[in-house]
């Protein structure tokens, strides 16, 4: 039984993709992330859970340097992707964000056609030389985003005309188009209905074959459903990090237990 | 976990399900005590009452399963809450089986009143019965107190019940070989002994559930087992 589960869930899950050591994040005088150490495995879905304001989104945003855009925000410590310090002086944040894609809470397609939504990133990064190559990237990305069949006949219709769930899968396809290794998702389903949520969850499970996915979610059931590893944050601390199965059946820290079982704590 | 859920109805659900298990346990203990008296005193009215009362145990089991399904569907319990629901379901099944065994003993009591009494068997059965009753009493206490040490102790004691059963099995076999007139009574007495031995196994299973509930880990399977009757032949009796 154990073996079956390991085979189906932990595909290539042994290599560390993202390694964080002694990470501190400050917003002005506020110490938002306190000494977080975590090793995120390659081709694994890792869920960050915790009450509002616990720092999970802040930590997620420091993985592709989105916090750089906030003036008063300061990140200390060491975050490495494939062993490379992403806060090193020679790292271009724009290039980094092509490799570390991000999907947000509310679907935010560009006010452009479906085709252009996908083509935008590859164009900027010069990933396609010809129209044919770009067509290929668009189709591949939409297929990986599990939305190709729904939009293939209207690629030049505006992306904003799609349903919420379709828009979110379009945004995931857009994030994939620049061929990232890592996908960060900040509550990707909180604005979606249950059916669209299931479709995005199914997509996340497929994406695990090619990408390292880190997802912030308020839904503990979602974390339990889609992730293999779960990290619980509380008041800026990483309280517990481990296999999702263990966290939800037998957590080691009483704070984790209190939170996931819906108690005041 | 002593703190309350934010949704207080969740606490009431969990407390309610566990209260039903305790109520069921009380009925099973009573059935075991009554059927032992019925067997010793040939009290057919008492045996009949045990048979009738098993319906209440079965109904509670069904009620508990239904309640647990509702909690799983509506509350999505996790961690110790999940283990609470899972162990309630499992313990309920164990108790329901114990109730069935008591009922079966009550049925056989009716036949045994008309059969030849077999020397020494009543005392041996009483010994088994007492051992299992005290195991059940202790395992329920361990459940209420979430006491792993006590549950482990209950688990280890099943060995003694198995040994008593072995001895009785051989003695019944001897009686049957000596006089074929004894066969009817001995067969029924053997099934009664086997029923009590199985109650011991179910009690052990409850003890394991208590350990799982508290620690989150199922204990190892390699506890000592002493029921050797599956391999016992008449030829073995000479060696004893």
């Amino acid at each position: 039984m154990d073996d079956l589960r390991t085979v189906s869930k932990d595909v290539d899950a042994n290599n560390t993709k993202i390694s964080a050591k002694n990470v501190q994040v400050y917003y002005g005088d506020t110490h938002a992330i306190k000494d977080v150490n975590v090793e995120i495995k390659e081709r694994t879905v890792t869920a960050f859970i915790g009450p509002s304001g616990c720092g999970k989104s802040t930590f997620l945003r420091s993985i592709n340097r989105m916090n750089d855009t906030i003036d008063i925000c300061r990140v200390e410590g060491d975050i490495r992707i494939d062993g490379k310090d992403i806060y090193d002086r020679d790292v271009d944040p724009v290039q980094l964000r092509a490799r570390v894609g991000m999907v947000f809470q509310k679907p935010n397609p560009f006010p452009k056609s479906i085709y252009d939504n996908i083509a935008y990133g590859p164009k900027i990064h010069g990933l396609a030389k010809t129209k044919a190559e770009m067509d290929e990237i668009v189709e591949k990305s939409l297929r990986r985003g599990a939305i190709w069949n729904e939009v293939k006949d209207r690629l030049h219709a505006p992306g904003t005309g799609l349903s919420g769930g379709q828009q979110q899968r379009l945004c995931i396809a857009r994030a994939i188009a620049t061929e990232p290794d890592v996908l960060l998702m900040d509550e990707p389903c909180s604005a979606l209905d249950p059916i669209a949520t299931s479709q995005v969850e199914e997509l996340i499970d497929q994406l695990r074959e090619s990408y390292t996915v880190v997802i912030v979610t308020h839904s503990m059931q979602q974390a339990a459903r889609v992730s293999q590893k779960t990290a619980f944050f509380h008041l800026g601390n990483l309280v517990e990090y481990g296999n999702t199965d263990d966290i939800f059946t037998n957590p080691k820290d009483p704070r984790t237990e209190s939170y996931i079982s819906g108690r005041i704590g | 976990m002593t703190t309350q859920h934010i949704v207080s109805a969740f606490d009431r659900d969990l407390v309610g399900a566990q209260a039903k298990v305790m109520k069921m346990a009380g009925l099973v203990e009573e059935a075991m005590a009554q059927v032992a008296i019925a067997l010793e005193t040939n009290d057919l009215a008492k045996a009949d009452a045990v048979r009738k009362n098993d319906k209440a145990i079965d109904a509670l089991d069904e009620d508990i399963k239904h309640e647990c399904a509702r909690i799983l569907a509506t509350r999505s319990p996790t961690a110790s809450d999940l283990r609470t629901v899972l162990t309630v379901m499992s313990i309920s099944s164990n108790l329901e089986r114990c109730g069935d065994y008591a009922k079966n003993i009550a049925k056989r009591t009716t036949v045994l009143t008309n059969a030849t009494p077999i020397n020494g068997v009543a005392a041996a059965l009483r010994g088994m019965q007492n051992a299992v009753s005290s195991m059940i009493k202790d395992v329920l206490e361990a459940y209420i107190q979430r006491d792993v040490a006590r549950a482990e102790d209950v688990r280890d004691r099943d060995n003694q019940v198995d040994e008593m059963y072995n001895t009785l099995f051989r003695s019944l076999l001897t009686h049957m070989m000596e006089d074929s007139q004894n066969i009817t009574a001995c067969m029924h007495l053997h099934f009664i002994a086997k029923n009590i031995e199985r109650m011991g196994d179910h009690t052990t299973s409850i003890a394991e559930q208590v350990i799982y509930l508290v620690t989150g880990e199922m204990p190892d399977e390699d506890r000592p087992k002493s029921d050797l009757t599956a391999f016992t032949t008449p030829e073995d009796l000479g060696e004893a």
Side-chain angles (χ1 to χ4, degrees):
Chain A
M1 198 61 199
D2 267 345
D3 289 342
L4 260 182
R5 195 175 49 188
T6 314
V7 170
S8 66
K9 275 203 154 183
D10 289 346
V11 187
D12 286 340
N14 297 318
N15 301 328
T16 297
K17 184 76 184 174
I18 306 166
S19 145
K21 283 204 180 73
N22 309 111
V23 173
Q24 325 277 344
V25 181
Y26 301 87
Y27 291 113
D29 294 334
T30 312
H31 196 174
I33 291 288
K34 296 165 190 162
D35 206 33
V36 165
N37 292 283
V38 66
E39 305 237 310
I40 292 169
K41 303 291 176 194
E42 193 175 22
R43 296 184 193 185
T44 300
V45 179
T46 302
F48 290 174
I49 59 170
S52 295
C54 69
K56 56 193 188 300
S57 290
T58 298
F59 185 69
L60 186 79
R61 290 161 59 87
S62 56
I63 298 174
N64 69 345
R65 295 184 56 174
M66 286 292 280
N67 289 329
D68 290 14
T69 60
I70 302 167
D71 283 341
I72 57 163
C73 185
R74 194 154 48 85
V75 179
E76 286 174 10
D78 195 33
I79 301 179
R80 289 172 185 273
I81 296 180
D82 292 331
K84 170 74 183 163
D85 183 355
I86 61 164
Y87 282 86
D88 203 72
R89 212 168 291 168
D90 66 358
V91 172
D92 174 3
V94 176
Q95 292 298 327
L96 171 72
R97 288 174 204 143
R99 278 189 60 209
V100 184
M102 190 149 188
V103 177
F104 298 87
Q105 182 170 3
K106 246 182 96 185
N108 53 353
F110 303 135
K112 290 166 174 286
S113 70
I114 292 167
Y115 186 96
D116 288 340
N117 260 280
I118 306 294
Y120 189 80
K123 207 177 284 171
I124 290 181
H125 292 284
L127 297 180
K129 291 190 189 70
T130 62
K131 170 86 170 65
E133 275 182 25
M134 187 58 88
D135 287 352
E136 200 185 311
I137 290 176
V138 169
E139 178 173 345
K140 196 174 87 182
S141 304
L142 288 170
R143 280 190 190 280
R144 286 202 175 160
I147 192 177
W148 171 251
N149 286 331
E150 292 159 61
V151 300
K152 63 183 175 194
D153 300 324
R154 44 169 171 159
L155 289 176
H156 296 285
T160 48
L162 297 169
S163 75
Q166 289 173 325
Q167 286 187 19
Q168 193 62 306
R169 279 179 285 146
L170 177 67
C171 292
I172 294 172
R174 184 178 64 190
I176 292 168
T178 58
E179 309 222 319
D181 307 331
V182 180
L183 279 175
L184 307 178
M185 301 189 175
D186 196 350
E187 296 191 44
C189 298
S190 58
L192 305 183
D193 69 54
I195 304 280
T197 298
S198 297
Q199 286 165 338
V200 171
E201 286 180 3
E202 170 64 16
L203 171 59
I204 291 171
D205 200 49
Q206 290 166 13
L207 293 173
R208 179 161 62 84
E209 286 176 18
S210 322
Y211 307 97
T212 302
V213 181
V214 186
I215 176 171
V216 162
T217 176
H218 266 143
S219 159
M220 280 169 289
Q221 290 312 311
Q222 178 168 62
R225 286 192 299 261
V226 302
S227 72
Q228 292 78 50
K229 294 273 182 179
T230 296
F232 170 61
F233 288 83
H234 186 55
L235 302 173
N237 298 299
L238 176 63
V239 172
E240 189 165 350
Y241 173 62
N243 290 326
T244 299
D245 293 354
D246 298 333
I247 297 271
F248 283 93
T249 55
N250 194 13
K252 298 287 171 272
D253 194 290
R255 286 169 292 176
T256 316
E257 169 109 28
S258 291
Y259 180 68
I260 62 164
S261 61
R263 290 179 167 86
I264 300 155
Chain B
M1 280 276 101
T2 46
T3 42
Q4 313 272 298
H5 286 93
I6 298 166
V7 178
S8 57
F10 193 176
D11 287 320
R12 291 197 292 276
D13 283 351
L14 290 177
V15 169
Q18 291 179 86
K20 278 178 186 162
V21 164
M22 293 318 295
K23 186 176 169 191
M24 196 173 165
L27 292 181
V28 170
E29 277 189 297
E30 180 65 14
M32 286 178 69
Q34 292 301 316
V35 83
I37 297 170
L39 185 63
E40 280 220 60
T41 59
N42 284 331
D43 187 338
L44 289 181
K46 229 181 198 80
D48 201 42
V50 170
R51 289 170 67 176
K52 286 207 176 81
N53 289 342
D54 187 52
K55 281 202 179 66
I57 296 172
D58 290 353
L60 264 172
D61 178 50
E62 206 168 299
D63 191 17
I64 287 165
K65 298 285 164 58
H66 190 76
E67 181 67 13
C68 287
R70 195 184 62 76
I71 294 173
L72 288 173
T74 57
R75 310 253 179 235
S76 299
T78 54
S80 65
D81 297 335
L82 177 62
R83 299 203 298 272
T84 300
V85 177
L86 294 178
T87 49
V88 160
M89 289 174 76
S90 184
I91 292 173
S92 178
S93 293
N94 289 133
L95 289 173
E96 191 270 336
R97 292 302 301 156
C98 287
D100 286 350
Y101 289 130
K103 181 183 169 185
N104 189 267
I105 296 172
K107 283 186 192 165
R108 293 181 192 282
T109 303
T110 328
V111 183
L112 280 172
T113 44
N114 303 319
T116 338
I118 310 290
N119 263 345
V121 174
L125 280 178
R126 200 187 308 128
M128 282 182 79
Q129 181 92 38
N130 287 342
V132 172
S133 291
S134 88
M135 279 169 72
I136 289 203
K137 189 171 152 290
D138 283 349
V139 85
L140 294 174
E141 193 61 31
Y143 179 62
I144 296 168
Q145 306 291 340
R146 304 289 194 260
D147 184 343
V148 171
R150 198 159 188 169
E152 276 168 348
D153 176 57
V154 170
R155 190 168 173 260
D156 293 340
R157 271 150 62 193
D158 188 46
N159 216 9
Q160 298 164 14
V161 178
D162 287 351
E163 274 163 13
M164 288 189 235
Y165 170 65
N166 282 337
T167 310
L168 187 53
F169 181 89
R170 297 166 84 104
S171 136
L172 288 169
L173 214 51
T174 311
H175 280 295
M176 287 190 274
M177 286 163 72
E178 276 171 11
D179 184 354
S180 60
Q181 293 289 313
N182 290 334
I183 288 179
T184 307
C186 283
M187 284 300 286
H188 284 291
L189 287 166
H190 167 252
F191 275 114
I192 289 171
K194 185 69 193 166
N195 285 344
I196 299 172
E197 189 269 333
R198 291 294 296 147
M199 285 181 184
D201 292 346
H202 282 282
T203 310
T204 306
S205 165
I206 296 175
E208 287 169 350
Q209 290 296 318
V210 172
I211 297 168
Y212 171 68
L213 173 62
V214 179
T215 65
E217 313 271 346
M218 269 310 238
D220 293 337
E221 246 306 292
D222 59 356
R223 70 184 173 86
K225 293 191 180 80
S226 304
D227 178 2
L228 306 171
T229 56
F231 309 106
T232 306
T233 63
E235 288 73 42
D236 295 335
L237 293 177
E239 299 162 18

